[in-house]
Amino acid sequence: MDAQGRGRADDIDPADQWVLNPNTGEYELRLTPSAPQSAVPGPRRSSTRSADAGGAVRNRTAAPGRSRTAPAEAPGRDVPPPRRRRGAPEEPLPGRRNRRPVKKKSKAKKAVLWTGGVMAFVLVGTAGAAYLYLKHLEGNVTTEDVGNVADDGFSKDEAFNILVIGTDKRTGKGNEGYGDKGSVGHADTNILFHVSKDRTNATAMSIPRDLIVDVPDCEVTEDGTEKIVPGTQSVRFNTSLGQDGRNPGCTMKTVEELTGIDVNHFVMADFNAVKTLTTAVGGVEVCLAKAVNDKESKLKLPAGKSTVEGEQALAFVRTRHSFGNQGDLDRIKVQQQFMSSLMRKMTSSDTLTSPTKLIKLANAATKALTVDKGIGSASTLKDLALELKKVPPKNITFLTTPVKDNPAEVVKATVVPDEANAPQVFNMIKNDVSFTEVKAQEKKEKAAIAARLKGTKSDASEVRVRILNGGAPGGSAQEELTYLQTEAGVTKSENAGNADKTQAKTTLEYAPDQADQARRLAEIMGLSGSMMKPGESVTNAQGLPTMTLTLGEDFKGAGVKMNSTSAATPEVPKTTADEVKCAS
């Protein structure tokens, strides 16, 4: 019999009749809340099950806290009548007149109400458990206030940049023998992680700790008091954290000064992070081109593939003397291979379909990391993880800031940015340009590229073009004009101001007899075939026939190639997260 058929009002949700018994820790069905009840519900009674004529199963459960022979309650209470045999005439309640018979609900409706009540209970219970677990994770998260250097939250509809910082501070049990004994926690490992606006690709750019940079002035809070830490020039990048009391906000500002890229958030980890995260996923597979027995890091592994976790995983990423030329740049390559493997393991079906591993991973990650307050809640971190999960591993590029040996040193110990390639790498990240070939876009434009880009090209000096700003940032037309005239040799070009309306895509319109010029300009700018629009010629300020270049909202910046798969992508060593490589 359903709850509503046992003296309850028709507008009561059956799910509301389940209450928690604090003595047993179980939920029990309470059918008569209007009757006097003790503060603590009694134990759940046994129930019998019988099938009615239609085959539906009914539960007959005694009201919690009362025996079946309990006396009638005080007048005015709604007490269910004594149970009677099927078919026997209904008996009046003591001291009451007979009421008009209530029309019974159909068995089908009873079944729907009962099922709905149970399902509501299950859903509420599940949602409650998820909420409670999120609150538990919230208690794990350590946040650091870096002021307005970090954004307040993040947008699911925009590209974002997160600086991942690994410190050499000896915090945590068992880490006494790692890093520098007196280190205040310098920026030992640094990765700027860029996630594209459309979530089709991401770039993880390592920044060497021994890169010579200028660290700007930064504001820190110490014992509740704000103070400015003066900047320093021509120092190692790792001093941007810890030195003179600098916090992660100082490291973020240093990256912004170095690259011109707006850093939205930071995630900081110590030695424990590697140990706990790798243990949570059941180990990470690594590969060695030769056997390693490193006395410094205590790493001992055979050639070929091995699975490492905990202390052994930390030893793997800290090993330097057994790889390449024993320098930090070669260790960065090994760390990138390790991170690729860790990403593959974290997103594998083996991990994602295991509640035990997922819970361990969530617990380990929130305990191991320190983040800025903008992403400091467990729910925001969960949303952030879901956005990262959208990026295919094959389109996650790992690379290192292009550098060269410091020319000011006789004994080479530090590096400086490589002016030939570093600016373009920074601009590609800043302007959300992918370092990988996004297959869908390549396929879409293949036919157009073949038809419009194939053929002879005129000299750059013969290209005549006027430039309009049709949605690019202010000043873009003039900046591109300056680049074309001074860097690309397109001297017959002019700034024609703003277009009549904005457009999403950059376009180049040209007449059929200007196809040779169009192909040359397309090569210079990295335009795809779909951006080239055959049409009619117009005249420039001198009355001469000219092409029209309209810079759209997708414009990447002066001198930056529009097509990420063009030959203009700088030739820097890079790998993707789906590649399996052996450290050597």
Side-chain angles (χ1 to χ4, degrees):
M1 182 180 292
D2 66 77
Q4 301 232 18
R6 299 177 65 179
R8 298 305 309 273
D10 288 348
D11 60 346
I12 299 298
D13 188 337
D16 293 337
Q17 296 171 272
W18 288 85
V19 295
L20 178 67
N21 184 336
N23 290 335
T24 65
E26 296 182 353
Y27 282 86
E28 299 174 357
L29 182 64
R30 175 165 295 158
L31 301 177
T32 57
S34 57
Q37 300 172 356
S38 63
V40 179
R44 188 172 184 174
R45 298 283 181 178
S46 60
S47 63
T48 59
R49 294 167 61 86
S50 62
D52 26 66
V57 177
R58 299 179 295 174
N59 287 326
R60 293 176 177 168
T61 308
R66 291 204 278 155
S67 68
R68 294 175 184 265
T69 58
E73 301 290 315
R77 298 290 186 182
D78 185 10
V79 181
R83 194 179 299 278
R84 56 188 173 84
R85 296 189 309 276
R86 182 178 296 180
E90 185 174 355
E91 296 178 6
L93 287 173
R96 292 191 185 183
R97 295 180 181 179
N98 284 338
R99 292 183 177 176
R100 185 167 28 185
V102 178
K103 184 178 179 181
K104 294 182 178 180
K105 300 184 187 295
S106 69
K107 292 172 184 174
K109 192 169 184 179
K110 288 181 182 179
V112 169
L113 286 170
W114 172 251
T115 304
V118 173
M119 285 303 295
F121 169 69
V122 171
L123 288 173
V124 169
T126 303
Y131 173 77
L132 290 174
Y133 191 68
L134 273 178
K135 297 306 289 182
H136 161 72
L137 294 178
E138 199 111 340
N140 291 344
V141 179
T142 301
T143 61
E144 185 160 348
D145 188 0
V146 293
N148 59 8
V149 179
D151 295 349
D152 184 13
F154 82 102
S155 172
K156 296 181 181 180
D157 302 318
E158 297 294 335
F160 58 90
N161 302 303
I162 297 178
L163 181 62
V164 181
I165 307 170
T167 77
D168 58 358
K169 193 172 183 180
R170 293 182 169 197
T171 54
K173 184 179 179 181
N175 296 326
E176 298 84 3
Y178 299 135
D180 296 330
K181 184 175 181 180
S183 177
V184 292
H186 292 122
D188 194 52
T189 300
N190 311 278
I191 299 173
L192 181 61
F193 198 74
H194 168 80
V195 180
S196 70
K197 180 176 180 178
D198 60 10
R199 307 299 188 254
T200 61
N201 64 87
T203 302
M205 182 181 72
S206 294
I207 302 173
R209 67 177 187 177
D210 296 327
L211 178 66
I212 296 300
V213 296
D214 292 337
V215 178
D217 295 349
C218 62
E219 187 177 273
V220 300
T221 301
E222 190 175 280
D223 298 327
T225 303
E226 293 182 353
K227 70 171 187 176
I228 301 295
V229 178
T232 49
Q233 285 69 50
S234 299
V235 293
R236 279 180 166 87
F237 180 89
N238 68 342
T239 61
S240 64
L241 177 69
Q243 196 82 4
D244 301 322
R246 294 184 177 116
N247 65 16
C250 302
T251 310
M252 293 171 68
K253 289 189 69 173
T254 303
V255 173
E256 291 178 344
E257 290 282 330
L258 170 69
T259 65
I261 300 168
D262 181 29
V263 183
N264 307 110
H265 301 286
F266 82 86
V267 173
M268 187 166 64
D270 57 18
F271 295 131
N272 277 338
V274 175
K275 295 192 287 187
T276 56
L277 289 175
T278 53
T279 301
V281 296
V284 173
E285 186 179 87
V286 297
C287 185
L288 295 174
K290 60 181 181 180
V292 169
N293 186 2
D294 193 291
K295 292 183 173 61
E296 297 290 332
S297 68
K298 307 296 190 294
L299 179 68
K300 186 175 182 180
L301 286 176
K305 294 180 180 180
S306 300
T307 298
V308 296
E309 65 176 270
E311 293 286 346
Q312 198 174 35
L314 179 59
F316 183 84
V317 297
R318 293 192 69 250
T319 295
R320 181 173 60 183
H321 299 287
S322 296
F323 300 127
N325 62 6
Q326 302 185 22
D328 191 49
L329 295 179
D330 285 300
R331 183 173 67 165
I332 285 175
K333 295 176 185 177
V334 174
Q335 291 173 344
Q336 291 173 348
Q337 294 166 19
F338 176 85
M339 286 190 64
S340 296
S341 183
L342 178 59
M343 283 186 176
R344 290 194 298 271
K345 187 63 179 286
M346 290 171 68
T347 57
S348 68
S349 58
D350 180 52
T351 300
L352 296 178
T353 58
S354 170
T356 302
K357 284 186 179 180
L358 285 174
I359 288 174
K360 284 183 178 179
L361 184 57
N363 212 35
T366 50
K367 282 184 177 180
L369 306 175
T370 297
V371 301
D372 61 85
K373 287 193 172 182
I375 54 173
S377 70
S379 58
T380 304
L381 288 173
K382 177 203 69 176
D383 292 341
L384 188 63
L386 291 175
E387 292 302 303
L388 293 174
K389 185 175 176 293
K390 294 178 182 178
V391 183
K394 67 179 181 178
N395 288 337
I396 301 176
T397 302
F398 286 91
L399 54 85
T400 302
T401 301
V403 296
K404 62 182 183 180
D405 288 335
N406 187 351
E409 295 177 331
V410 177
V411 178
K412 304 303 180 183
T414 61
V415 292
V416 295
D418 178 4
E419 63 274 7
N421 287 316
Q424 190 169 351
V425 169
F426 299 156
N427 280 332
M428 289 179 70
I429 295 174
K430 179 181 178 180
N431 294 293
D432 201 22
V433 180
S434 172
F435 283 82
T436 59
E437 293 183 358
V438 182
K439 298 299 182 183
Q441 184 69 15
E442 184 184 51
K443 183 178 180 181
K444 181 180 178 181
E445 297 183 349
K446 187 174 181 180
I449 291 173
R452 297 172 186 172
L453 297 181
K454 189 175 182 180
T456 58
K457 303 179 182 70
S458 63
D459 291 336
S461 60
E462 297 176 3
V463 174
R464 186 179 288 110
V465 62
R466 64 180 191 138
I467 307 170
L468 295 172
N469 190 332
S476 293
Q478 183 59 43
E479 291 172 3
E480 182 65 14
L481 174 68
T482 301
Y483 167 77
L484 290 176
Q485 290 185 341
T486 60
E487 302 291 333
V490 183
T491 54
K492 297 177 181 178
S493 50
E494 65 179 30
N495 181 354
N498 292 327
D500 293 335
K501 58 182 181 180
T502 61
Q503 58 188 51
K505 300 291 184 181
T506 295
T507 58
L508 174 63
E509 297 181 60
Y510 58 97
D513 61 352
Q514 295 171 321
D516 288 4
Q517 295 181 46
R519 284 189 284 267
R520 174 61 67 192
L521 188 60
E523 180 184 62
I524 292 170
M525 294 188 62
L527 302 179
S528 65
S530 63
M531 294 176 179
M532 299 173 68
K533 305 293 182 183
E536 296 182 0
S537 177
V538 295
T539 55
N540 62 10
Q542 289 77 39
L544 300 173
T546 184
M547 301 184 294
T548 301
L549 173 67
T550 304
L551 306 179
E553 294 175 345
D554 63 339
F555 181 64
K556 305 300 183 182
V560 180
K561 305 290 184 176
M562 296 295 300
N563 186 357
S564 63
T565 64
S566 74
T569 302
E571 290 299 322
V572 295
K574 52 186 180 290
T575 61
T576 54
D578 63 329
E579 294 182 62
V580 179
K581 290 193 172 184
C582 293
S584 59

